[in-house]
Amino acid sequence: MVQQSRALWIPACVIVLAVVIDLATPPDVTSAPLLMVAPVSAAPLLMPWGIVTVGLVSMAVHAGLARMDGTLGWHHGVPNQVTLLAVTVLAVLINRTLHRQHARTRRALHVAAVAQRAVLPRPPSRLDGLEIAARYVPAENEAMIGGDLYVVQSTPHGTRLMVGDVRGKGLGAVNAVCADIGAFRYAADEAEDLAQLVLALERALLREGGRRGGLEQQEGFTTALVAEFSTDLNVVRMVNRGHPPPLLLDVHGTATVLEPSQEAPPLGIVTLGDWVFPVDSFSFPPGSTLLCYTDGITESRDAAGRFYDAAARLPVLLRRGARAGTRVTPSQTLDALVGDVRRHAGGKRQDDQALLALHRPSE
């Protein structure tokens, strides 16, 4: 009801403007065309009864102005009244059409949201002593599913995770995301170590690429960060296959980029032959947060073309958030980062953004 009241100001202002123009001009100048704009402007804003009300008010105002000007007759007044009535009916029909289209859009978005939760389920907020938060920000608001992914899983070998970005867009990329997550779900429980897990993912991607007619014809590779925490959480081990390196935030909010000791190509590329990839280990003391993200963060640019620097910006954001004297949660960290990237890029998103934050509480 409040929104309807606010939306009523637009057609009301049109009617007032028409009255002012009619009173300020000679009698042979009519503002009827402007009055016809009022019900049309109400079509996307008001309910049908509101549109009819605007139309009737427009007709009454026109009749009063025409009577003052002496033009309320069969020559000008009656045709304008009939036209106002027809425009009002047309506005109601437009409103009904827009309402049906919006209803279909809402249903499609609901289906997309359900599909996204099925394809990319949100990880639990707590798992094996870790506090976890995740965000998926699509490049386009209507496209709720894309080629970025994250998955966290408790396994007999510790907590394991993957953050990745599939080459390409559309349904092909979604199919590859499903293949990646399905392969990870199975291999994360079975693989004895991180190297075996990555090799299992590689084989799964090659099989999927073969089913879709060849790796180079479709979305053939995935940049991925695959990591696991030791059972005591003191160490995080990771393999980086062409993915933006994650950040390690210590208890003081200092950000450290966890660069791989050796570069390795994305998963699923066979044209480069066999590739030896390292398993890097990093200390993960209490109070630390591991922040992983896709290149939708690192490749966001401002008006001058400068890329976003999460390692430089995050400590500033965390200090701002901690001024109230409360601990910044992983969820708040991701919200602050997403908002800062949006401001950096002037509100424009160049690519999908998938983010994952895993925090070890202080003992």
Side-chain angles (χ1 to χ4, degrees), residues 203-225:
R203 290 193 295 269
L205 275 176
L206 293 178
R207 288 194 299 269
E208 181 64 19
R211 293 189 188 101
R212 288 183 287 122
L215 292 174
E216 297 304 321
Q217 296 177 17
Q218 299 290 337
E219 288 72 24
F221 62 82
T222 300
T223 69
L225 176 75

Side-chain angles (χ1 to χ4, degrees), residues 249 253-254 313-323 328 333 336:
L249 306 173
T254 303
R313 290 294 304 163
L314 260 178
V316 177
L317 299 175
L318 294 179
R319 282 196 296 270
R320 290 176 183 172
R323 285 174 183 171
V328 180
T333 299

